[in-house]
Amino acid sequence: MPDRPASMSPLLTTAQLAQRLNLSTKTIYKMAKSGAISAMRAPGTRTPLRFDLATVERELRANGPAND
């Protein structure tokens, strides 16, 4: 599997994204489930969702802020 290019933003876990956005992990899961933010599955890991920070930030700007 090729490495991600350096120009791409890092993939974050649910906890990392929640901390970065100052939201609860429960809110992040709800937002991902509703489609408000894009999530990727990471098979074989304890925390199966990963989030591309740049994509999430773009989606939040387009959709407005989330309420925790």
Side-chain angles (χ1 to χ4, degrees):
M1 176 188 280
D3 292 331
R4 289 170 53 90
S7 62
M8 295 182 76
S9 62
L11 291 180
L12 303 176
T13 65
T14 305
Q16 289 169 328
L17 183 62
Q19 182 179 21
R20 188 100 179 211
L21 298 178
N22 198 28
L23 297 170
S24 70
T25 55
K26 186 175 178 179
T27 299
I28 299 297
Y29 280 117
K30 284 181 182 179
M31 292 172 72
K33 185 176 181 180
S34 72
I37 59 174
S38 299
M40 294 173 248
R41 293 274 175 204
T45 62
R46 289 172 42 128
T47 52
L49 294 181
R50 295 288 187 268
F51 302 88
D52 178 69
L53 182 59
T55 301
V56 170
E57 288 175 338
R58 196 170 38 252
E59 291 167 340
L60 292 176
R61 278 193 301 272
N63 299 329
N67 294 322
D68 193 12

